[in-house]
Amino acid sequence: MKIPQSKIDEIKQAADIVEVVSQYVAIKLRGRNYVGLCPFHNEKTPSFTVSPDKQIFYCFGCSVGGDAIAFIKNYEKINYPEAIRFLAERYNIELPRFASDEDEKDRSEIETLFYVHKAAARFFYDQLQSSAGMIAREYLNQRGFSESVLKSFGVGYAPDTWDSLFTFAKSQSLDMPSLEKAGLIMKKNDGGYYDRFRHRVMFPVFSATGRVMAFGGRILRQEPNSPKYVNSPEHPIYQKGKVLYGLFQAKETIRKQDEIIIVEGYADCMSLHQFGITNAAASSGTAFTMDQANLIKRYTQNVTLIYDGDDAGVHAAERGGAIMLQAGLDVRIVVLSKEHDPDTFVRAKGADAFRELIKQGKQYIDFRMDQWNKDKKLDTVNGRTFAARELLNVTANIRDPIKVSLFAAEIAEKLRVNESLIYQELKKVSKGHDSLRSVVTASHSKIVQSEKLPANIIRAERGLLKLLLDAGLPEAEKIFTYLRPDDFQNPAIQKVVQFIHTQWNLKESYTESDVVNSFPEDIQKAILRLSVDEFLEFDMHDCVATIQYAQLETKLSALRETIKTMEEQQEDTAQLEAVSNLLIKQIFNLKTKKQLIAVHDTPAQERITFEHSHTPF
């Protein structure tokens, strides 16, 4: 049965694009539109834009776009009719129902899996409230969990029988193969089924949108060969390395506080929520993954990892912290004393003490140094050498050139090693990573030597910004043919140009007032000062040429140094030599023929940045 267009229109009218998207992505108002990090590809600079006026979203990085239905379809990885039904349920819009036998046929595998998980979660929850769940309730009461937190997390109970869920599923005509695929029931040798979870407290695992996708079951009676926890196996809607337990319950607080606290277990997470620390989520005891780090980036850049104080906890903190840094997150680490985990700590000392503990979290390098100092591993030259190489291995996986530079300087200072030697070692560690090699070379040979932008670059950037402010979209069309926002080195100008670039991409006109009102006071004043100065005149071609010439010269210099280093190490430099020749040709054409370089002709090299003061232009 086709969903009537009138119902689709009603859903579109009810589902405000900003409201829908903001439940998944941290977006901030910038001018008329909202911007944030795209949930559909990894990025460091926000290119994901939401237009409340047009009720659409679009990512300039990966070109995914559409309306609220399209967003849910892409994010939840469901088809178009399922996305319509998803939003209809959220906004309490009734849709025509299929006959029960046809309904099951028309459900996709993914939607059916979500459906059986939802039914199982309701069954387990009801069982906890029944007389059969008395032992489970007593256990949870002894652990100190309140009714409200149990309800919020949907905690339930799997009865102490072999077929309670199976019998319930038959009565509800649930799809047995889907229940088996979900790991909720298992097939007998005679062809029948039995329950996977028996006499266990059940912890539903929710997606970020609040849909049950898996379970963890905690045993209530010790039995031979029975593990303390039994978890759902992985299946089409559940990959444990891509999920964080409690994220659905925590995401609003995470957005508001701009920070997430990561613990290991279900009980740790629930206890923190019960004590008012509602920005906590859990890795569910699995080793932390890059997918989980990227999931966190949708909501915040700031992470505090909390681990137990045993050796396993320390190693987990080391690995988890490194992954967070590689993902571009700002991470602090707290390792508890050996007598506590987050659950026991917050219950023994209270929420205020726990918040103080969070404030004492260590940055990654400080955390590693503390651990080595405790073990007296930094008392010898060999120990400090080992520590330096360990930290450099982590630094080599960071893609942000500024962070690489800062980490290298910090490693040199804290281990009392010459900074130039740290850069040399970093080049060796990063062997095979051409982009990082360029970053390191540029950082060492260019950034360190430049304290401020050259005067001609300052004038060119200010000139182009004035042209963008005065002439609007027609001038933007010309300038953005040759330059991207990150070609501008002054950080304040780059922010303003990025705003204008977004407007240009959306084909939306802008006024100086729109631009001014999108920035803090210091940048506002600088924009107004530049805008109202009628005596400043600039030529677009000359300004672009100045910036491109400086970039090419700097790139060529850095590239030559890289080639020289690689030749000394007897590495193949053929590809870099080809890029070098292209740069030389472009410099010649720019100087002699005044031939500007279009954006799509720019070689895929790392941009070289200058160190500069953080003052408005």
Side-chain angles (χ1 to χ4, degrees):
M1 181 185 293
K2 185 178 180 180
I3 300 172
Q5 184 61 45
S6 60
K7 285 294 182 182
I8 297 175
D9 292 340
E10 184 181 352
I11 291 167
K12 289 183 178 181
Q13 185 69 26
D16 176 72
I17 187 71
V18 174
E19 181 182 349
V20 171
V21 171
S22 63
Q23 295 183 44
Y24 303 86
V25 183
I27 54 177
K28 296 180 179 179
L29 186 62
R30 190 173 294 173
R32 294 191 190 92
N33 300 316
Y34 290 79
V35 298
L37 293 173
C38 181
F40 304 118
H41 81 287
N42 295 331
E43 62 178 3
K44 295 175 182 176
T45 302
S47 61
F48 181 80
T49 303
V50 180
S51 171
D53 295 336
K54 297 180 179 180
Q55 286 293 300
I56 61 170
F57 74 94
Y58 184 75
C59 175
F60 297 105
C62 66
S63 301
V64 175
D67 57 14
I69 298 173
F71 179 84
I72 292 297
K73 174 180 175 290
N74 282 280
Y75 190 94
E76 294 290 343
K77 294 180 173 55
I78 55 181
N79 62 35
Y80 191 77
E82 290 163 354
I84 292 173
R85 292 187 175 279
F86 182 95
L87 287 171
E89 183 177 340
R90 175 175 293 177
Y91 288 95
N92 298 314
I93 296 172
E94 188 173 351
L95 294 179
R97 297 191 62 81
F98 298 116
S100 58
D101 56 340
E102 292 297 318
D103 189 40
E104 207 60 43
K105 290 179 183 178
D106 284 272
R107 290 183 187 275
S108 68
E109 177 187 38
I110 288 175
E111 192 63 22
T112 303
L113 284 167
F114 275 123
Y115 184 79
V116 299
H117 276 90
K118 179 180 178 180
R122 169 52 63 181
F123 170 76
F124 292 139
Y125 183 82
D126 289 343
Q127 291 301 305
L128 181 64
Q129 313 307 317
S130 72
S131 58
M134 184 177 65
I135 294 176
R137 290 199 306 275
E138 289 176 353
Y139 164 78
L140 292 167
N141 287 335
Q142 290 171 2
R143 292 291 304 268
F145 291 114
S146 67
E147 286 295 325
S148 61
V149 79
L150 293 175
K151 184 175 182 180
S152 174
F153 283 83
V155 177
Y157 169 66
D160 191 14
T161 68
W162 288 87
D163 61 357
S164 294
L165 178 61
F166 173 63
T167 301
F168 167 78
K170 283 199 301 182
S171 72
Q172 299 297 307
S173 300
L174 298 181
D175 184 60
M176 295 300 164
S178 293
L179 284 162
E180 182 184 5
K181 180 170 285 189
L184 289 165
I185 58 174
M186 302 178 76
K187 188 168 281 188
K188 296 179 181 178
N189 293 332
D190 62 7
Y193 291 97
Y194 64 93
D195 294 353
R196 180 189 189 91
F197 298 98
R198 301 179 303 279
H199 198 44
R200 290 178 179 269
V201 173
M202 299 298 292
F203 299 93
V205 178
F206 293 87
S207 71
T209 60
R211 307 182 85 184
V212 180
M213 55 169 59
F215 294 93
R218 204 266 188 205
I219 198 167
L220 288 170
R221 176 180 58 232
Q222 287 292 28
E223 296 177 354
N225 302 319
S226 290
K228 182 177 179 180
Y229 278 94
V230 169
N231 299 308
S232 293
E234 293 195 346
H235 49 72
I237 65 171
Y238 175 64
Q239 293 83 45
K240 62 183 179 181
K242 296 183 178 182
V243 177
L244 288 170
Y245 178 80
L247 180 62
F248 170 65
Q249 290 82 358
K251 62 183 181 181
E252 293 306 319
T253 309
I254 294 169
R255 286 196 188 99
K256 290 176 183 176
Q257 297 185 6
D258 194 22
E259 180 186 24
I260 186 172
I261 296 168
I262 297 294
V263 294
E264 290 189 273
Y266 303 132
D268 296 329
C269 179
M270 288 172 55
S271 291
L272 293 181
H273 278 254
Q274 182 168 317
F275 279 78
I277 303 166
T278 55
N279 60 328
S283 58
S284 303
T286 62
F288 207 85
T289 68
M290 183 58 71
D291 285 322
Q292 289 171 322
N294 288 328
L295 178 61
I296 288 170
K297 283 175 67 176
R298 298 176 186 170
Y299 301 93
T300 182
Q301 292 287 314
N302 304 304
V303 187
T304 298
L305 297 175
I306 302 183
Y307 287 97
D308 297 346
D310 55 15
D311 289 342
V314 171
H315 291 317
E318 292 172 357
R319 184 180 182 280
I323 289 172
M324 296 289 190
L325 291 173
Q326 185 179 348
L329 294 164
D330 293 325
V331 60
R332 291 184 297 169
I333 299 173
V334 174
V335 174
L336 297 170
S337 58
K338 292 185 178 181
E339 66 266 21
H340 279 302
D341 57 31
D343 173 36
T344 60
F345 184 98
V346 75
R347 292 184 184 280
K349 301 189 178 184
D352 289 342
F354 193 88
R355 291 189 180 96
E356 284 300 315
L357 187 71
I358 295 298
K359 292 178 183 178
Q360 296 168 19
K362 300 281 188 179
Q363 298 289 337
Y364 186 79
I365 291 178
D366 291 332
F367 164 72
R368 297 297 303 272
M369 295 287 289
D370 284 352
Q371 296 302 315
W372 285 320
N373 276 320
K374 286 178 183 177
D375 298 334
K376 299 187 180 302
K377 291 183 177 179
L378 299 181
D379 292 349
T380 65
V381 171
N382 285 341
R384 293 212 309 278
T385 302
F386 171 82
R389 291 208 167 104
E390 279 281 296
L391 292 174
L392 287 173
N393 281 327
V394 174
T395 306
N397 287 313
I398 299 173
R399 312 317 300 169
D400 185 330
I402 295 175
K403 287 185 177 180
V404 169
S405 179
L406 292 173
F407 263 62
E410 189 173 355
I411 292 168
E413 177 186 356
K414 293 190 172 180
L415 290 173
R416 302 190 299 280
V417 179
N418 185 283
E419 190 170 337
S420 63
L421 292 177
I422 290 294
Y423 276 111
Q424 290 176 22
E425 286 300 310
L426 191 53
K427 289 179 190 178
K428 295 177 184 178
V429 173
S430 61
K431 184 178 180 180
H433 298 285
D434 288 340
S435 62
L436 181 61
R437 182 186 297 278
S438 298
V439 167
V440 172
T441 301
S443 297
H444 185 42
S445 64
K446 300 297 175 185
I447 294 180
V448 171
Q449 298 171 10
S450 302
E451 295 183 355
K452 62 180 181 178
L453 285 169
N456 63 331
I457 298 296
I458 294 173
R459 176 177 170 78
E461 292 192 355
R462 293 178 76 240
L464 290 172
L465 179 56
K466 182 165 177 59
L467 291 170
L468 288 168
L469 292 169
D470 291 348
L473 288 179
E475 197 67 20
E477 184 72 32
K478 298 176 186 177
I479 291 171
F480 294 137
T481 300
Y482 302 108
L483 294 174
R484 290 170 283 206
D486 56 358
D487 288 316
F488 292 77
Q489 297 298 317
N490 182 295
I493 290 180
Q494 187 184 96
K495 289 177 182 178
V496 180
V497 172
Q498 179 65 63
F499 170 82
I500 295 173
H501 187 267
T502 299
Q503 299 300 109
W504 169 70
N505 265 314
L506 288 173
K507 301 295 188 288
E508 287 191 1
S509 60
Y510 59 88
T511 66
E512 291 175 14
S513 178
D514 293 331
V515 179
V516 168
N517 292 331
S518 300
F519 294 94
E521 184 178 357
D522 58 340
I523 296 181
Q524 286 182 3
K525 291 179 179 178
I527 294 172
L528 290 170
R529 185 170 61 248
L530 180 64
S531 179
V532 299
D533 191 339
E534 298 179 0
F535 298 99
L536 291 174
E537 293 185 2
F538 301 94
D539 178 78
M540 186 275 288
H541 190 283
D542 289 346
C543 291
V544 172
T546 297
I547 292 172
Q548 290 193 340
Y549 182 78
Q551 285 182 338
L552 291 172
E553 287 285 357
T554 308
K555 288 177 186 176
L556 184 60
S557 176
L559 193 59
R560 282 171 172 167
E561 186 170 336
T562 301
I563 290 172
K564 181 180 178 182
T565 303
M566 293 177 67
E567 286 175 341
E568 291 172 354
Q569 297 175 2
Q570 298 184 337
E571 297 181 34
D572 183 11
T573 63
Q575 289 184 332
L576 294 186
E577 291 283 1
V579 175
S580 176
N581 292 333
L582 174 60
L583 292 175
I584 293 170
K585 180 180 178 181
Q586 289 179 325
I587 291 171
F588 177 81
N589 289 338
L590 191 60
K591 290 177 66 175
T592 61
K593 302 178 182 179
K594 306 296 183 184
Q595 184 176 322
L596 299 179
I597 305 163
V599 167
H600 57 77
D601 293 329
T602 304
Q605 294 295 304
E606 290 288 333
R607 279 175 165 68
I608 309 301
T609 60
F610 296 95
E611 216 172 64
H612 40 66
S613 59
H614 294 281
T615 57
F617 44 95

